[in-house]
Amino acid sequence: MNLEHNKNEDHLKLMVADVRRKLDRIAKGGGDKKIAKQHEQGKLTARERIAYLLDDKKPQIEIGAFAGYEMYQEHGGCPAGGVVVVMGYLRDQMVIVVANDATVKAGAWFPITGKKNLRAQEIALENHIPIIYLVDSAGVYLPLQDEIFPDKEHFGRIFRNNAVLSSRGIPQIAAIMGSCVAGGAYLPIMSDEALIVEKTGSIFLAGSYLVKAAIGEEVDNETLGGATTHCEISGVTDYKSKDDKDALDSIKNIVDKMGAKNKAGYNRSTPAPPAKDPEEIYGLMPSDGAKTYDTMEIIERLVDDSAFEAYKEGYGQTLITGYARIDGWAVGIVANNRKVVKSKKGEMQFGGVIYSDSADKAARFIANCNQKKIPLVFLQDVTGFMVGKRSEHGGIIKDGAKMVNTMSNSVVPKFTVIMGNSYGAGNYAMCGKAYDPRLIVAWPNSRLAVMGGQQAAKVLLQIEKARLKSQGQEITDEVEKELLDKIHNSYEAQTKPEYAAARLWTDAIIDPLETRRWISMGIEAADHAPSDEPFNPGVLQT
């Protein structure tokens, strides 16, 4: 190993370790005191409930762990968005579990909480997998009600999704394990089956204080909406459980008896590890995101047997396209090639930039994968499309549009891994969040923005200088440098993977060595959703 490799390895491993430390803090939710209080009430925490429910020693992935990261600080923060979402296995059946974290503001719904719940339902809908809600929430966080209540992707959309999931035959099971109030009461009751825990679980449209204020009636919460009331009088809930574990055991028994459904039929052979050591990825990814590297070296450490069948290998070389297997699943890979390459015309092309020929190649490859029903994996390290007179005259907009059109209309499942840069229209063409990847994850060294920090800072600096000059202020070299540093630091903070993950632009920040597991579980989930939807790329400029 050379010095550069060792430097890269240390850099990326430190970033991975930093992400793990942050995740450990996030997993504490509202903190040790709130966790202790939950236990004093005879309740498990959200993460303890999920750990008890899901099959032990089976793989699982957590969606949106960084949701809300460093957001809502003026409200005390909202770790993991106040809700834990995990995809795993229950009695060998793949499921997605949504558990309110009552240690965070009593499980109240912040705007990001609603967005994260909708993401969980979207995964269940796309992949036809059962969804289990473990409810323990005080309802909407009122100081921010205007950001979660009325819009299309706000709180009410969750109940609409309950109805749609049910109509499509996708099982929903809800356990009321704590508070469940006001509009939130509809979520478990619009599920197919609802359980409620004695003493700790309660569900009603209005609590005892509000009832007293509204109609003058005096009643305690247990009589109003406890387990006995709803299992023996109202018939609102279906099962009464004596404690958390009893409720979770009942869910296990219900899921255990679910019948199998048709599969999509994606091709899978016996899984094999990469022939080249995946740990070498740490040393292969440059510590400086502007540096070039050989993307094929990364691919060979992600795919089974390190075997890759390249498509149009000598054409459009700033994109790598080809077939491989990941954990046995057949995949089509579209990856930004970060090497500087020579085009068929003898011109040098920059690594990580999409040129006309590479966009044309990718469009054709994506169509082929749809023809053969092969899931697509996009490996992003892209700075954008090529600009300039030569590119414009060569039709870069036309060829880029062809790639975006084909990718947008793809009917096979798509998965996106942001390995490095993800800038501008390159993010779009390489299946960014706006283009419905089934799962989208980022490595700790990734950057997500309209453009790179240095370029953006210089543009923003010119705007700020013009504004200050219009106010009669003198811009000395010292002032200019101070402004540039301030703008650059602010912009750079917004490009970090934590910033994107906090807003659910990505599903997770992962160790590169976890990439195979995420893609494999994603394709297995997608295999539960057969579809006869034809592939139609729309009108393409030729």
Side-chain angles (χ1 to χ4, degrees):
M1 298 293 177
N2 59 34
L3 184 62
E4 186 69 18
H5 188 284
N6 292 339
K7 178 183 173 183
N8 293 341
E9 181 177 17
D10 290 345
H11 178 76
L12 188 47
K13 282 186 173 180
L14 284 170
M15 297 185 90
V16 169
D18 182 55
V19 167
R20 286 176 179 157
R21 281 192 297 271
K22 289 171 180 172
L23 287 172
D24 287 343
R25 289 198 299 271
I26 288 168
K28 289 280 188 180
D32 291 332
K33 288 183 179 179
K34 294 290 180 67
I35 291 171
K37 184 178 179 181
Q38 186 101 337
H39 290 159
E40 287 166 12
Q41 295 171 342
K43 300 196 295 184
L44 300 173
T45 65
R47 292 182 184 277
E48 289 168 344
R49 288 165 176 166
I50 293 174
Y52 184 85
L53 181 65
L54 293 179
D55 294 348
D56 193 25
K57 298 179 180 177
K58 287 283 185 70
Q60 55 183 242
I61 54 178
E62 181 175 350
I63 309 294
F66 271 94
Y69 181 75
E70 294 188 341
M71 296 169 66
Y72 313 114
Q73 295 303 304
E74 66 276 23
H75 298 277
C78 188
V83 63
V84 184
V85 176
V86 174
M87 190 162 77
Y89 298 85
L90 176 49
R91 297 292 170 91
D92 295 322
Q93 165 85 262
M94 183 172 270
V95 299
I96 188 158
V97 184
V98 181
N100 299 114
D101 187 350
T103 71
V104 179
K105 289 286 192 292
W109 289 60
F110 282 66
I112 197 67
T113 317
K115 188 172 183 179
K116 187 169 174 180
N117 274 263
L118 289 171
R119 177 64 178 137
Q121 289 182 321
E122 180 182 45
I123 291 170
L125 276 165
E126 286 180 331
N127 298 296
H128 292 197
I129 59 174
I131 184 166
I132 296 165
Y133 308 100
L134 306 180
V135 183
D136 193 347
S137 171
V140 167
Y141 184 64
L142 288 177
L144 297 173
Q145 64 85 28
D146 63 317
E147 298 180 36
I148 190 173
F149 168 60
D151 210 345
K152 180 178 178 180
E153 294 187 347
H154 283 177
F155 196 65
R157 186 76 172 183
I158 289 160
F159 314 133
R160 175 264 186 192
N161 286 350
N162 284 140
V164 172
L165 282 156
S166 184
S167 74
R168 295 184 185 174
I170 301 168
Q172 298 175 90
I173 301 168
I176 302 155
M177 311 181 86
S179 297
C180 184
V181 299
Y186 287 104
L187 184 148
I189 308 312
M190 291 188 73
S191 299
D192 303 319
E193 294 182 270
L195 306 86
I196 186 168
V197 179
E198 288 187 284
K199 307 301 181 189
T200 57
S202 60
I203 177 170
F204 32 65
L205 294 180
S208 56
Y209 292 120
L210 188 54
V211 168
K212 170 77 179 210
I215 63 174
E217 183 179 54
E218 293 197 14
V219 61
D220 63 88
N221 282 339
E222 185 65 23
T223 303
L224 186 65
T228 299
T229 294
H230 286 310
C231 284
E232 300 176 17
I233 299 174
S234 72
V236 166
T237 52
D238 307 309
Y239 307 89
K240 182 164 68 171
S241 306
K242 67 180 189 302
D243 56 26
D244 279 10
K245 289 186 177 180
D246 186 38
L248 297 170
D249 285 335
S250 293
I251 295 173
K252 291 180 184 182
N253 291 333
I254 294 167
V255 172
D256 187 51
K257 296 170 182 64
M258 287 182 182
K261 294 191 176 183
N262 294 333
K263 297 292 182 74
Y266 300 118
N267 185 296
R268 191 180 198 186
S269 64
T270 303
K276 296 185 177 181
D277 186 0
E279 289 224 7
E280 292 174 358
I281 290 174
Y282 294 130
L284 291 167
M285 290 299 297
S287 56
D288 180 352
K291 288 188 175 180
T292 60
Y293 62 92
D294 187 349
T295 305
M296 269 309 306
E297 293 284 349
I298 305 295
I299 293 172
E300 289 171 346
R301 287 155 179 83
L302 292 176
V303 302
D304 292 14
D305 292 321
S306 300
F308 184 79
E309 184 69 29
Y311 172 83
K312 289 186 179 291
E313 185 175 12
Y315 177 73
Q317 293 179 70
T318 63
L319 277 177
I320 295 171
T321 53
Y323 305 102
R325 290 189 183 273
I326 293 179
D327 199 33
W329 294 105
V331 296
I333 293 176
V334 181
N336 299 111
N337 190 5
R338 285 306 309 271
K339 287 200 308 183
V340 176
V341 298
K342 186 176 288 188
S343 75
K344 60 184 181 294
K345 297 177 181 178
E347 301 157 353
M348 299 308 294
Q349 295 186 342
F350 299 105
V353 178
I354 301 174
Y355 288 76
S356 285
D357 53 359
S358 47
D360 175 66
K361 175 174 81 169
R364 176 70 187 211
F365 179 70
I366 291 166
N368 281 343
C369 286
N370 277 270
Q371 179 85 344
K372 295 192 281 285
K373 204 161 83 168
I374 300 173
L376 284 157
V377 174
F378 292 85
L379 302 178
Q380 286 194 11
D381 194 345
V382 58
T383 53
F385 284 86
M386 192 57 191
V387 296
K389 184 177 75 173
R390 186 190 299 273
S391 291
E392 298 294 355
H393 288 190
I396 185 65
I397 297 174
K398 172 191 67 179
D399 291 316
K402 187 190 305 182
M403 179 179 174
V404 172
N405 236 43
T406 310
M407 181 273 300
S408 300
N409 288 300
S410 175
V411 295
V412 296
K414 299 172 290 192
F415 302 89
T416 302
V417 180
I418 305 175
M419 303 190 306
N421 302 312
S422 181
Y423 293 150
N427 168 275
Y428 299 161
M430 291 293 293
C431 196
K433 182 63 183 286
Y435 294 83
D436 297 328
R438 295 292 177 96
L439 294 171
I440 177 170
V441 295
W443 289 359
N445 57 302
S446 63
R447 288 291 184 270
L448 183 65
V450 170
M451 64 179 72
Q454 289 185 343
Q455 302 95 309
K458 289 176 182 177
V459 173
L460 292 168
L461 175 65
Q462 296 308 313
I463 296 170
E464 182 65 8
K465 283 171 63 178
R467 185 185 71 83
L468 294 173
K469 284 181 179 178
S470 70
Q471 296 175 354
Q473 295 188 36
E474 183 183 354
I475 310 298
T476 65
D477 290 344
E478 291 77 12
V479 169
E480 181 170 331
K481 183 180 184 306
E482 185 178 332
L483 279 172
L484 181 61
D485 289 344
K486 182 180 177 182
I487 292 169
H488 182 266
N489 292 338
S490 174
Y491 188 89
E492 278 290 299
Q494 294 179 19
T495 71
K496 289 183 178 179
E498 292 90 345
Y499 191 91
R503 289 152 182 80
L504 291 173
W505 301 342
T506 61
D507 291 317
I509 305 170
I510 66 169
D511 183 334
L513 302 189
E514 296 173 342
T515 304
R516 282 170 53 85
R517 172 159 54 91
W518 274 78
I519 293 171
S520 177
M521 286 189 68
I523 298 175
E524 184 177 349
D527 200 40
H528 289 80
S531 173
D532 294 324
E533 184 181 359
F535 171 63
N536 179 0
V539 177
L540 303 178
Q541 294 282 352
T542 58

